[in-house]
Amino acid sequence: MSSTETTNKASVASEKSNTKPTRDEPVLQVERRDFIDLVPEKRPRVQSLRGFDDCYTDIVDYIVRCTHKIWDERDVGLIYSHYTHNCVLYNALGTMYNREQVVQDTLQRLVAFPERRGMATQVIWNGNDVEGFYTSHLVTGSGRHTQYSHLGKPTNRTFVTRTVADCMIHENKIYREWVVSDNMAMMRQLGLDTDAVAYGMAKEQFDKGFRVTDIGENRRMVGQYPPEMECDVSIAHTDTEEQCLRWLHEIYNRRMLGKIKDVYAPNVQWHGPLMKELYGQAAVIHQTLALIGMIPDGAWMPQHICSNPCDEGGTKVAVRWIMEGHHLGYGELGKPTGERLFVMGMSHYHIVNGKVVDEWVVYDHLALLAQIKLGQMEE
């Protein structure tokens, strides 16, 4: 881009940005701050936020504060001013296509778990108020199952689980969102019959006319060619993001799991599905192998990546990805069924000196089990 083009683009951005003055301060980061510091009352705006409500001082404040208001303070009506009427919300088993569905789903979840609290663990983001923001919000949720709901009689048991919500935001409104929750971890902690819960989820989809569409030959094996030697890094914005995509492709698509020893620190901490907390390269290799082994024909594809420098040192990277294939191997889902599986996953990495020192990965075994049940219903 020429210097003239750069100047013109900056000029347009300046004209379109919020006229409210901003301070030259860094955008908030979640890890080292208490909640009251993340949603400050008297902090001046530090980031240009054209079209956003005055209470928000930067994009992290926005996503943490509005999530808290909707879910913890029960201001569900804020969805009408924070989501577009035609928003699309994707989750691991179904898609919502309008704001009213989001309102209804939120109400039902609050009915089942009125004591639930969602604590921001980290927010990784990119973008601006002209082109729009993208946020990847990792939440640790805790609560107790105290009410009758779609899960049946309350168990009064407590739970802790992880959720990642990726949002595309423009002028105070979310217009697209991807949500992945570790629901299997919650169901097991509540002592529920996960097969019965998954069957109920599948039956609901089946009664609406949804069916599993088997894609046949997936993109992993086109004809008789081996997996692509090089990955597509066009979605990367930085060298770190590009390197991250390259080693993820090596591990997941080329099945070079030995790469984990090169890119993960020896003392890496791995925070995974089913609320597993594991340590060391061998644990990461085994857990990665467990997913690939369960879907051995699976093709892994990144859909979005963003990153921020971290107050703790190094860089935080967020990757939204999918994996498509068939249930051909043993694992958490039991005996192979051959049913088609679609995994929607979110991964956050903390990279220091070129090594992953922490990984948080969220995908939902319960949604995968429901996909198996749905496929079996169709048969």
Side-chain angles (χ1 to χ4, degrees):
M1 182 182 290
S2 68
S3 58
T4 302
E5 289 173 322
T6 303
T7 302
N8 289 340
K9 188 172 182 179
S11 176
V12 171
S14 176
E15 290 174 5
K16 290 185 177 181
S17 64
N18 201 325
T19 57
K20 186 177 178 179
T22 62
R23 282 193 175 186
D24 186 19
E25 293 182 11
V27 174
L28 290 171
Q29 292 193 6
V30 172
E31 294 87 315
R32 294 181 174 184
R33 290 180 170 85
D34 192 22
F35 175 76
I36 58 174
D37 300 318
L38 294 172
V39 290
E41 295 302 322
K42 297 181 180 180
R43 183 183 187 231
R45 180 163 286 182
V46 302
Q47 184 180 30
S48 181
L49 295 174
R50 173 176 62 103
F52 283 73
D53 290 351
D54 289 340
C55 62
Y56 301 123
T57 63
D58 60 37
I59 192 60
V60 173
D61 179 358
Y62 168 86
I63 203 69
V64 172
R65 189 190 298 263
C66 75
T67 301
H68 169 77
K69 284 181 174 291
I70 292 169
W71 288 95
D72 293 349
E73 296 186 8
R74 309 299 193 250
D75 287 335
V76 180
L78 278 181
I79 291 173
Y80 292 108
S81 60
H82 285 66
Y83 285 74
T84 60
H85 75 286
N86 59 348
C87 64
V88 182
L89 190 152
Y90 306 91
N91 60 43
L93 193 71
T95 304
M96 301 179 197
Y97 291 99
N98 61 72
R99 183 168 56 200
E100 199 59 41
Q101 285 182 294
V102 177
V103 171
Q104 293 175 12
D105 181 72
T106 304
L107 290 170
Q108 290 303 309
R109 293 178 185 276
L110 289 174
V111 166
F113 305 106
E115 296 181 13
R116 181 191 178 277
R117 291 294 179 267
M119 296 163 285
T121 303
Q122 57 200 20
V123 178
I124 303 171
W125 64 277
N126 64 9
N128 55 59
D129 64 342
V130 176
E131 298 171 345
F133 289 99
Y134 188 102
T135 62
S136 187
H137 182 195
L138 173 62
V139 177
T140 303
S142 63
R144 194 160 59 98
H145 182 211
T146 61
Q147 302 295 318
Y148 282 91
S149 66
H150 63 289
L151 297 174
K153 182 181 178 180
T155 63
N156 290 311
R157 292 190 179 187
T158 60
F159 64 87
V160 179
T161 187
R162 279 187 280 261
T163 297
V164 179
D166 279 24
C167 295
M168 297 178 75
I169 310 156
H170 188 248
E171 295 191 357
N172 207 73
K173 285 185 168 60
I174 297 166
Y175 61 94
R176 193 168 294 171
E177 182 174 11
W178 293 261
V179 179
V180 178
S181 298
D182 191 357
N183 291 306
M184 182 67 92
M186 180 191 293
M187 297 304 111
R188 289 185 177 181
Q189 291 172 64
L190 298 183
L192 298 177
D193 183 341
T194 53
D195 275 305
V197 174
Y199 180 88
M201 294 166 61
K203 186 67 163 59
E204 182 179 353
Q205 297 295 315
F206 188 83
D207 290 344
K208 291 178 180 178
F210 290 101
R211 301 293 185 268
V212 173
T213 302
D214 198 312
I215 55 176
E217 183 180 47
N218 66 27
R219 66 183 296 272
R220 175 171 172 76
M221 281 292 193
V222 181
Q224 299 182 49
Y225 287 96
E228 299 97 326
M229 293 296 292
E230 293 292 330
C231 68
D232 182 359
V233 296
S234 60
I235 62 173
H237 310 88
T238 68
D239 289 343
T240 297
E241 292 176 15
E242 184 174 320
Q243 291 166 7
C244 187
L245 291 175
R246 291 189 188 282
W247 57 254
L248 285 169
H249 176 77
E250 285 284 304
I251 293 167
Y252 283 97
N253 286 327
R254 298 197 62 230
R255 312 306 202 222
M256 302 294 284
L257 276 76
K259 187 71 175 177
I260 289 173
K261 296 194 298 292
D262 298 332
V263 297
Y264 284 74
N267 61 343
V268 60
Q269 298 185 47
W270 188 86
H271 320 272
L274 307 176
M275 294 306 293
K276 291 180 180 178
E277 299 287 344
L278 302 175
Y279 304 89
Q281 296 168 339
V284 177
I285 292 172
H286 184 76
Q287 295 302 312
T288 306
L289 184 60
L291 174 60
I292 296 174
M294 189 167 59
I295 314 173
D297 68 336
W300 186 91
M301 185 189 311
Q303 294 190 308
H304 188 273
I305 187 169
C306 59
S307 62
N308 299 130
C310 180
D311 284 345
E312 300 173 289
T315 303
K316 289 283 179 73
V317 181
V319 182
R320 174 167 55 85
W321 52 270
I322 61 172
M323 191 172 185
E324 291 183 306
H326 296 83
H327 183 214
L328 301 174
Y330 284 89
E332 288 287 349
L333 301 179
K335 183 180 179 180
T337 61
E339 299 293 345
R340 176 183 178 263
L341 291 178
F342 172 85
V343 185
M344 181 188 296
M346 312 281 200
S347 298
H348 283 196
Y349 302 94
H350 186 190
I351 300 174
V352 178
N353 297 325
K355 300 284 187 178
V356 178
V357 297
D358 272 287
E359 177 182 0
W360 297 260
V361 57
V362 180
Y363 56 87
D364 189 13
H365 288 92
L366 188 66
L368 298 177
L369 185 58
Q371 291 176 37
I372 291 174
K373 304 289 185 189
L374 181 58
Q376 291 171 339
M377 286 178 188
E378 184 176 7
E379 293 166 6

